[in-house]
Each structure stands twice: as structure tokens, then as C-alpha cells.
Amino acid sequence: MKIGVIVDSFRLPLREAIKKAKEVGAEGIQIYAVSGEMAPENLTPSKRKELLNYIKDNGLVVSALVGDFGGHGFAIKEDNPKRIEASKRIMDLAKDLEANVVTTHIGVIPSDPNHDRYKILQEACEQLGEYGDNVGAYFAIETGPEKTETLKKFLDSLKSRSVAVNYDPANLVMVTGDDPVKGVYTLKGYIVHTHAKDGIMKKQTDPEIIYNFFAEGGIGDLRLEDYFEEVPLGKGQVDFKAYLAALRDIGYDGFLTIEREVGENPEKDIKEAVEFLKGMLK
């Protein structure tokens, strides 16, 4: 397995963040590609080549792109034509940067396959999966809003093999209360990328409430810190020894990409996370 980092976690300009990723000992990087200079419409073929060369000159590869548009993902039918087209362009960009994974949250998958939203999400993922089949890219759903068994049944219902999983163990322990080790075996065969993140659940609630909070920019007097907390690797409820053993057991040899969404000193936390993972992988 290889160690990566989401360069946006450094909270620095892109090229500075790429340099930092190299400095802290990462082998690969993941980049948000939905807006600003990384939006596909802002990157001409020559700019793409220039960026790829810069990444390679720093001894790195692109592990994946983040194609997360926020909101309710692909759960609102009227929004989907535009989001699907934009996601296809991000898949094209990934291929130009010699990567083949785009990760995103698609919205909360209902446990009942007869739910209206289930069919809306299926239709969107079928279109993106078919495109992925054609261009050789994975559209990877990030774990978190639903139990891994629900996600597995959803993936099994699709015709395309290009709709896959970006496995985030912390989201499972923080929000869903799912066992991230058991979940690896549940989603065996679908995991194409992972996020290395840790956290603790303080209080269980319906994951849909949490993800609606993110989607709508806050709801009433809900305080997320009452429910969960993201913490540095090894300080939370993810049993990394057992988790990494499970990934090895299913034959996963891709990236463990560090994501640090909080904290006052992300560079320090990311550097320590790299060292933590190197120690665990020995």
C-alpha cells in the first residue's frame, strides 16, 4: 500500500501544497477538482500537461481527484444532468493526470431499494459508471452516510463495474457507527481508493441528519461537535492495525490518502500521519 495526501488539507496554494506533500514523505496526492484553478474548464491541455509534469518533478503521482459538488450529491433529480456532465469532465481530467479514480459523496443511499431517492441515485451512477467503463476510470462513492451493507447492495444493483468505493474508515465510526474492519470484507472487490482518517463518535444519531446538515449549510441549533470529532491518526476509534490487515487480506494495494479536515496545524498532523502509517505498514 502507498501513502498519499489530499493536498487541499494543507490549506496552501496548489503548487506549494504539492511541494509539502513531497516534503512530508507522501508518494501520491489527491486534489479537489470542482472549482478554481483545478476545475476542468479552467485547465487547457497545455496546463494539464504542465501540472502533471510539476507533480512528476516532485516525485509524486495523482492517486485520485475529488469530484464532490457538495449539497445532496446526486439525490435531486433536477440537478443531476449538470452534475453528471461535470463529473464526466472530472473523469477526463483524472485520465489526463494519469489517474483513474474520482471520489465523491453521492448523497445518502436509503436502505429501502423502493425509495424514490434510491432510483434517482441508481440512474445517476449508471450513467457515470457507463462513462467510466468507456474511458477507463472509476467513479468512487465515499463511505459514511449509510452502512456498508446498504452500499454493497446498491453497488450490486448496478450494471457498471466502474462505480466503486473510496473507503473512509473514520466516516463509518464517526457517523454511521459501522465497523470499518468488517466493512472492508463487505465491500471487497469494490474498494479502489481509501482515505486515512480517524475519529470518534460522541453521540449516535440518524446519519441523514448529519449529512443534511452538511448539504444545507447548517440546520437549527445542531452542533456537529456534540456528535463526533475528527482526531489525528491513531487517536480515534479506527483500529488501524486490524483495518490495514483487512485491506491486505482482500488484496488491496492502493493508496491510503491522508485527509485532515480540522486542526490548527495541518502540516504537523499530516507529517505525523505519514509517520504513523509508515510504522503500521512495516
Side-chain angles (χ1 to χ4, degrees):
M1 284 180 269
K2 300 171 282 289
I3 298 169
V5 59
I6 296 184
V7 288
D8 306 77
S9 293
F10 287 110
R11 299 173 222 154
L12 291 169
L14 179 60
R15 278 164 175 72
E16 282 181 48
I18 290 167
K19 273 196 180 307
K20 283 286 177 210
K22 176 64 177 171
E23 285 170 20
V24 300
E27 297 160 88
I29 56 172
Q30 185 176 12
I31 317 171
Y32 271 79
V34 292
S35 62
E37 66 176 309
M38 278 302 297
E41 63 271 19
N42 294 331
L43 280 168
T44 60
S46 63
K47 282 183 178 175
R48 293 176 187 208
K49 197 166 184 183
E50 183 194 335
L51 176 60
L52 180 60
N53 287 338
Y54 186 82
I55 292 165
K56 286 180 169 180
D57 288 346
N58 279 279
L60 299 163
V61 299
V62 179
S63 69
L65 295 181
V66 182
D68 198 327
F69 297 100
H72 292 278
F74 294 86
I76 298 170
K77 195 178 179 79
E78 302 74 47
D79 293 347
N80 283 352
K82 193 175 174 184
R83 289 186 170 218
I84 288 165
E85 279 311 307
S87 297
K88 288 177 181 178
R89 299 294 76 79
I90 296 171
M91 280 198 254
D92 293 338
L93 175 60
K95 294 297 290 182
D96 285 343
L97 296 176
E98 297 181 1
N100 67 345
V101 178
V102 172
T103 72
T104 194
H105 286 280
I106 64 165
V108 184
I109 300 169
S111 54
D112 177 9
N114 295 311
H115 194 293
D116 287 345
R117 193 194 315 139
Y118 202 92
K119 295 178 182 65
I120 293 166
L121 295 173
Q122 271 179 322
E123 285 168 14
C125 287
E126 287 289 18
Q127 288 183 58
L128 287 160
E130 187 182 341
Y131 192 76
D133 290 343
N134 290 333
V135 300
Y138 289 107
F139 182 71
I141 301 168
E142 187 163 331
T143 54
E146 60 283 312
K147 298 273 188 186
T148 52
E149 288 91 347
T150 301
L151 179 53
K152 165 80 161 55
K153 283 177 187 163
F154 177 81
L155 292 164
D156 287 346
S157 78
L158 303 174
K159 296 185 193 78
S160 165
R161 294 296 91 194
S162 293
V163 183
V165 170
N166 176 49
Y167 201 94
D168 189 317
N171 289 349
L172 294 171
V173 301
M174 291 192 298
V175 181
T176 320
D178 216 353
D179 177 355
V181 177
K182 182 169 167 252
V184 167
Y185 294 101
T186 302
L187 292 167
K188 177 186 176 182
Y190 284 114
I191 301 167
V192 295
H193 192 262
T194 77
H195 281 167
K197 196 167 79 183
D198 206 349
I200 53 173
M201 178 189 279
K202 295 179 177 178
K203 187 163 70 173
Q204 180 112 37
T205 189
D206 181 352
E208 196 145 349
I209 292 171
I210 299 294
Y211 280 89
N212 280 344
F213 181 94
F214 286 125
E216 293 164 19
I219 303 166
D221 58 358
L222 179 75
R223 286 159 39 92
L224 291 181
E225 59 268 31
D226 293 341
Y227 293 90
F228 64 84
E229 182 185 357
E230 184 195 320
V231 297
L233 290 199
K235 310 280 191 204
Q237 291 168 335
V238 178
D239 180 345
F240 271 92
K241 189 176 179 185
Y243 169 62
L244 295 176
L247 287 174
R248 274 201 194 96
D249 205 23
I250 66 162
Y252 179 78
D253 64 353
F255 273 92
L256 306 165
T257 298
I258 296 158
E259 179 178 35
R260 187 70 173 133
E261 297 187 281
V262 298
E264 289 176 14
N265 192 339
E267 185 184 340
K268 175 178 172 285
D269 293 344
I270 292 164
K271 196 172 193 310
E272 287 174 0
V274 171
E275 295 308 318
F276 174 80
L277 289 174
K278 281 183 176 173
M280 296 297 288
L281 291 172
K282 271 181 186 170

